[in-house]
Amino acid sequence: MQKEREVWVDNVKVIACILVVLGHFFQSITKAGIISDNVLYQWFNQTIYYFHVPLFFICSGYLYQKYSRVDDASSWIKNILKKVLALGVPYITFTTATWILKTVFSRSVNTQIGGLGDTLFLHPTAPYWYLYTLFFIFLVTPTFIGIRIAVIGVCIALVAKILILIRGGGYSVYAVSTVLSNEIWFVLGMSICIFDIRLKRNRLLGLMFGTVFLALSIVIYVMNIDMPAISFILGVMACIAVIFLVASCEEKTGKAMKSISKYTMPIFLMHTLFTASLRIILMKVGITNATVHVILGVAISFLGPMVAAWIMKKTKWMEFFLYPNKLFGKVV
């Protein structure tokens, strides 16, 4: 199918990407002792994890349902071959780069890492676990051919999520655990497409869900409530709020959002490499000022990957590591 840009999807991915970057950045400088572990940071870090990665899964599910048709063995094989290339190449490339960085500078990084094989195939590291999980979701999820099938799909995904919530710690096999946990978000994205939900007409509903979500997130943080079921409900509320509000403001998208939307994939893949490298350099030369680390760290989190992606695009062959299907998509 001929793909057209979905502005609301691009904008939702920008918001999710910004939150992922900020979450990882502030975690890293807090663990390094550059800034203090304060109440505002703890609330922010806890709150964004309810919904920022689920937004990515929802967007992926929506685009999958809208632009793909996977309903028999032939189309399933073709789709999997495409995903092996599209997800596998950047996953292996940047997971390996992160593993090398953490291995070489093991004394300077906040989180240690296991062996390369273990990291690639059994216990993926952040943020690349998303690509790992997404591949296995594609592996087990056909596209919906009608509303009845969509309802069944949502019910199955919900049961899978409930199983994870009941077990608490999930399953010993990471791939199984993470698919059961995140399938619901992917299927909800597919459902937005199959049910043809009119997102632009629900600004008020988005405001209501957003307000309630923020209020509840504060209450839950203050009361120190740790219940996976409540976290899931909050995640659903936050995703509804973000999607409805973003879709209703689609015409007002600014130049900054449009610029970042072209680079969400490179930013997602490379932000930790740039921020970790910068932090190591600053610490090596004795710069520990929090303001300097925050300003330079946030700037390079976005500008570094954007410049790198621009350079990679000019060389063609280097862009293969970001978008392999651009070169070999027609082959598979």
Side-chain angles (χ1 to χ4, degrees):
M1 298 181 184
Q2 184 64 35
K3 293 186 179 181
E4 298 177 1
R5 301 300 301 183
E6 292 279 353
V7 178
W8 76 265
V9 172
D10 285 345
N11 291 345
V12 167
K13 287 196 291 185
V14 168
I15 291 174
C17 187
I18 290 172
L19 292 177
V20 167
V21 170
L22 293 179
H24 287 154
F25 173 72
F26 283 110
Q27 284 177 24
S28 65
I29 62 174
T30 300
K31 289 179 180 178
I34 296 169
I35 63 172
S36 60
D37 186 1
N38 54 57
V39 170
L40 180 60
Y41 160 75
Q42 291 176 359
W43 170 80
F44 174 77
N45 191 58
Q46 176 177 295
T47 301
I48 62 173
Y49 272 84
Y50 292 135
F51 68 97
H52 63 354
V53 177
L55 285 174
F56 277 122
F57 283 113
I58 289 173
C59 291
S60 295
Y62 175 86
L63 295 175
Y64 177 57
Q65 177 63 38
K66 184 163 187 177
Y67 296 114
S68 303
R69 182 165 183 173
V70 181
D71 54 8
D72 56 30
S74 176
S75 59
W76 179 82
I77 292 172
K78 185 177 181 180
N79 183 62
I80 293 305
L81 290 175
K82 285 185 176 181
K83 300 311 177 186
V84 166
L85 192 63
L87 300 176
V89 171
Y91 172 74
I92 291 174
T93 299
F94 293 99
T95 295
T96 302
T98 299
W99 181 84
I100 292 172
L101 180 67
K102 289 192 174 186
T103 301
V104 174
F105 299 99
S106 58
R107 295 183 179 180
S108 302
V109 296
N110 299 315
T111 305
Q112 302 302 310
I113 198 166
L116 180 58
D118 180 76
T119 303
L120 282 172
F121 301 111
L122 298 177
H123 301 99
T125 188
Y128 312 115
W129 70 267
Y130 166 74
L131 301 180
Y132 180 94
T133 302
L134 190 58
F135 171 75
F136 283 102
I137 287 177
F138 281 124
L139 195 66
V140 299
T141 311
T143 52
F144 298 145
I145 58 175
I147 291 178
R148 180 184 295 180
I149 301 299
V151 171
I152 295 173
V154 171
C155 291
I156 293 173
L158 189 57
V159 169
K161 183 67 176 181
I162 291 172
L163 286 175
I164 286 293
L165 294 176
I166 292 174
R167 285 183 63 91
Y171 293 81
S172 58
V173 179
Y174 182 88
V176 173
S177 184
T178 191
V179 168
L180 291 176
S181 183
N182 293 290
E183 176 78 11
I184 184 63
W185 305 112
F186 189 82
V187 169
L188 287 176
M190 295 173 68
S191 299
I192 292 175
C193 179
I194 198 71
F195 290 113
D196 196 23
I197 299 174
R198 302 302 180 187
L199 302 175
K200 296 182 181 180
R201 302 176 183 177
N202 291 286
R203 179 181 299 181
L204 180 59
L205 193 61
L207 285 171
M208 291 172 56
F209 271 98
T211 302
V212 174
F213 165 75
L214 287 175
L216 289 177
S217 71
I218 294 172
V219 171
I220 287 172
Y221 172 75
V222 171
M223 296 182 67
N224 195 29
I225 298 173
D226 184 16
M227 295 180 63
I230 293 179
S231 298
F232 172 61
I233 293 171
L234 283 175
V236 172
M237 294 175 63
C239 288
I240 291 174
V242 171
I243 291 171
F244 281 165
L245 289 174
V246 167
S248 64
C249 299
E250 187 174 288
E251 295 79 7
K252 300 178 182 179
T253 301
K255 292 182 178 179
M257 289 284 282
K258 290 180 180 179
S259 298
I260 297 176
S261 68
K262 299 176 183 178
Y263 295 98
T264 49
M265 184 65 161
I267 291 171
F268 179 85
L269 290 171
M270 293 187 277
H271 70 275
T272 55
L273 293 172
F274 278 94
T275 52
S277 300
L278 176 66
R279 188 180 68 254
I280 290 170
I281 292 171
L282 291 178
M283 297 295 283
K284 290 291 185 182
V285 299
I287 299 176
T288 58
N289 182 272
T291 302
V292 173
H293 274 268
V294 170
I295 293 175
L296 294 182
V298 171
I300 202 168
S301 295
F302 294 97
L303 295 179
M306 291 170 73
V307 172
W310 181 82
I311 294 172
M312 294 170 80
K313 185 177 182 179
K314 294 296 181 181
T315 58
K316 294 276 186 180
W317 68 268
M318 290 184 66
E319 194 180 25
F320 168 77
F321 297 106
L322 289 174
Y323 307 110
N325 277 3
K326 281 190 175 183
L327 292 177
F328 297 102
K330 292 183 179 179
V331 176
V332 296

